[in-house]
Amino acid sequence: MATTYFTEDHEWIRVENGIATVGITDYAQEQLGDLVFVELPEAGRQLKKGDAAVVVESVKAASDVYAPADGEITESNAALSSDPALVNSAATGDGWLWKMKLADEGQLSGLMDEAAYKKLVG
Amino acid sequence: MTGEELFHLPLEDLHIAAGARFGGFAGWSMPLTYPAGVMKEHLHTREHAGLFDISHMKLIKVSGKDAAALLSRACPLDPDALEISQSKLTFFLNEAAGILDDLIVTRLGEQRFMVVANAGNAVADVAHLTALAEEFDAKVEPLDRVFLAIQGPEAWAVLSRAGIETGSLTFMHGVEPHPGWFMSRSGYTGEDGFEIGLPADDARKLAEKLLADDRLMWIGLAARDSLRLEAGLCLHGNDITPDTDPASASLMWAIPKDLRADGTFIGAEALRKIVADGPAEKRVGLKAEGRQPVRGGTVVIDEAGNPAGRVTSGGFGPSAGHPVAMGYVATLLAKPGTKLFADVRGNRIPVDVHTLPFTQHRYRKG
């Protein structure tokens, strides 16, 4: 059974068997506008909570997406290199950004659930 | 602009009703995008027609016996050589030939001119011109107008359906079709199009009439920026500044040849010296390999890693289908096709010096 968490930086994290899939929320993609490039991280990269893991670039600006916890990247979403707009059309599905093996799942415990996040973005 | 009060557009309620997302620009709260999004807005303008609220820009009327003399002092421009209704791109320069602002000047009558100035420089421009006017018999009059741009291949047809005929107006000409109105065939997208300054009440009626036409939609500042960048047009504050001059900015075409030789405009001497010595750097187009945009502020290096220049504006070109940028590189490296690199967050992105514009201009030159 997967658990989904949300951050104040408008990321979602779906955790299953110690592996977290990370993306940005629908609210975030709407704020950014049409994405034209996603700079994806290499598998094996070690992340500390708060590190910039991915850069998403819209027509107008580049924005960092941060690691929600410590861990190691196991995969990034290769489909985004040819079709970055997947993040716009399916932010919480096919537009996921990367997967990581969490060092300590407990680091996520303070994050919001979907109901709390929905309240945050109104 | 944080903490400062922003100016609000007179037609702001129309933008709110259209679902605009707002942001601060040059002291104004401006519509950045509408629900269609920057990509669709950009492409719609190139294919059909876009309506832009550019009321942040300033219309300044200059009139009087010495109006032409004042402008020939203030700008590298020969106002007397302009036919009535003819427009020209020109500048305010400082004594070092640095660009204080870029402007469009239109001759309305024998002794009357309209100056269109950028939002961010409007207050300084009016002060500059007013101070210079003390030595001349000329009046400088900033106008309160709503300013709308209608751009795109169907702009003329949309205006025609709304009862505004534009047939006799060709690119870079402007007229006063009604009291308080100023309409020119010009723009900031590279497409055929019009800019209309008019009183707020008239503007509200016109906008409502225009928007009833399916061929037209509101376009925000984000697409305005990607459109002008593809068209190779400069944004003052980014691509031209008081630290760049018309020769480095590759804008000498805007300055008549005889004025380059013996003009007495402010900055003339400094500009003559820059031209004689050859500018150290030139403004060029930069095309990045791949899909990653190269943004303003990025450092440009040569093969060996030596500094070669800088990007002043960059993003993705929705019509071009690839990243588009412009910037300054050392004059020796300014030839189209020169291979350089942009340093983006530690990655070396290959960039080619590229001719401007990235998308062909489609002006109606008559």
Side-chain angles (χ1 to χ4, degrees):
Chain A
M1 173 75 192
T3 313
T4 306
Y5 301 92
F6 292 83
T7 73
E8 287 179 356
D9 296 325
H10 309 286
E11 292 160 49
W12 55 264
I13 304 111
R14 191 177 301 130
V15 185
E16 210 163 2
N17 303 324
I19 301 286
T21 306
V22 185
I24 62 169
T25 64
D26 204 45
Y27 174 84
Q29 70 78 17
E30 214 172 272
Q31 295 289 319
L32 292 169
D34 298 307
L35 294 191
V36 295
F37 184 78
V38 181
E39 190 179 298
L40 296 165
E42 305 256 328
R45 194 177 139 200
Q46 298 292 331
L47 293 174
K48 285 267 176 233
K49 183 179 174 177
D51 285 352
V54 160
V55 183
V56 291
E57 303 221 19
S58 66
V59 173
K60 186 77 184 142
S63 316
D64 289 321
V65 185
Y66 303 102
D70 302 352
E72 180 182 323
I73 291 183
T74 56
E75 190 184 349
S76 61
N77 187 355
L80 300 181
S81 46
S82 58
D83 189 8
L86 267 180
V87 179
N88 295 111
S89 58
T92 54
D94 291 345
W96 60 276
L97 298 175
W98 78 89
K99 296 186 192 221
M100 63 191 291
K101 190 171 168 46
L102 296 171
D104 172 13
E105 198 173 328
Q107 282 184 318
L108 302 176
S109 62
L111 296 177
M112 288 172 276
D113 61 10
E114 186 162 11
Y117 179 72
K118 279 199 167 147
K119 204 176 275 178
L120 174 77
V121 298
Chain B
M1 283 298 151
T2 315
E4 277 177 50
E5 192 60 36
L6 295 173
F7 294 111
H8 291 266
L9 297 171
L11 303 186
E12 185 175 67
D13 57 311
L14 296 188
H15 302 299
I16 293 170
R21 186 189 305 281
F22 290 84
F25 176 78
W28 289 77
S29 174
M30 295 295 292
L32 302 181
T33 55
Y34 296 86
V38 57
M39 202 74 98
K40 286 206 180 91
E41 292 172 31
H42 177 116
L43 296 171
H44 188 91
T45 304
R46 293 241 186 273
E47 283 161 25
H48 304 286
L51 177 61
F52 305 70
D53 191 336
I54 53 169
S55 307
H56 59 315
M57 297 183 71
K58 198 70 187 167
L59 294 168
I60 307 164
K61 194 178 261 187
V62 179
S63 57
K65 191 167 65 68
D66 290 343
L70 166 61
L71 288 172
S72 68
R73 172 73 183 138
C75 308
L77 175 76
D78 184 356
D80 284 316
L82 291 179
E83 294 162 21
I84 289 178
S85 93
Q86 194 182 349
S87 309
K88 200 146 179 2
L89 173 73
T90 187
F91 317 98
F92 286 153
L93 303 178
N94 61 25
E95 290 291 354
I99 302 173
L100 298 173
D101 201 4
D102 61 323
L103 315 149
I104 305 274
V105 173
T106 304
R107 185 171 208 176
L108 299 172
E110 282 303 326
Q111 300 180 352
R112 296 191 312 123
F113 295 85
M114 188 69 84
V115 177
V116 178
N118 284 305
N121 302 319
V123 171
D125 287 345
V126 171
H128 179 66
L129 208 46
T130 305
L132 288 176
E134 282 177 18
E135 295 164 35
F136 296 89
D137 181 359
K139 192 166 140 199
V140 175
E141 208 181 333
L143 305 177
D144 274 322
R145 294 288 184 272
V146 165
F147 204 23
L148 299 174
I150 301 98
Q151 300 280 304
E154 294 177 347
W156 70 270
V158 172
L159 282 170
S160 171
R161 186 179 290 176
I164 297 177
E165 290 308 328
T166 58
S168 56
L169 200 60
T170 53
F171 181 62
M172 290 304 274
H173 285 78
V175 293
E176 296 168 293
H178 303 290
W181 286 46
F182 171 67
M183 174 167 85
S184 70
R185 196 160 199 159
S186 62
Y188 197 43
T189 60
E191 299 298 324
D192 182 27
F194 304 84
E195 294 183 341
I196 306 179
L198 70 180
D201 288 350
D202 292 357
R204 187 171 290 275
K205 283 180 208 140
L206 177 63
E208 280 165 5
K209 228 187 266 183
L210 293 172
L211 288 162
D213 193 320
D214 286 342
R215 293 172 290 188
L216 184 93
M217 61 191 269
W218 280 119
I219 309 294
L221 213 53
R224 183 168 162 84
D225 192 54
S226 56
L227 287 159
R228 69 92 192 167
L229 184 52
E230 278 183 347
L233 303 172
C234 293
L235 173 62
H236 192 273
N238 282 36
D239 310 305
I240 46 178
T241 72
D243 295 322
T244 55
D245 59 85
S248 321
S250 310
L251 292 170
M252 288 302 288
W253 58 267
I255 304 181
K257 282 211 172 63
D258 52 339
L259 288 188
R260 297 181 204 172
D262 59 13
T264 55
F265 55 90
I266 296 170
E269 298 246 335
L271 185 59
R272 275 193 279 276
K273 182 162 183 351
I274 292 165
V275 171
D277 295 349
E281 52 176 22
K282 296 283 274 182
R283 183 177 62 92
V284 295
L286 296 166
K287 179 176 183 286
E289 211 171 83
R291 283 186 65 89
Q292 179 162 17
V294 171
R295 312 278 179 186
T298 303
V299 171
V300 177
I301 52 179
D302 67 12
E303 182 89 58
N306 301 310
R310 64 192 190 281
V311 178
T312 50
S313 284
F316 190 83
S319 302
H322 55 72
V324 291
M326 65 169 94
Y328 286 79
V329 298
T331 302
L332 287 173
L333 300 172
K335 212 172 141 224
T338 305
K339 305 238 174 270
L340 298 170
F341 298 87
D343 183 353
V344 180
R345 301 183 289 271
N347 295 332
R348 270 166 65 128
I349 311 283
V351 294
D352 281 2
V353 174
H354 195 277
T355 51
L356 292 172
F358 291 100
T359 50
Q360 282 313 304
H361 293 160
R362 299 194 289 177
Y363 301 135
R364 184 71 63 89
K365 297 198 171 169

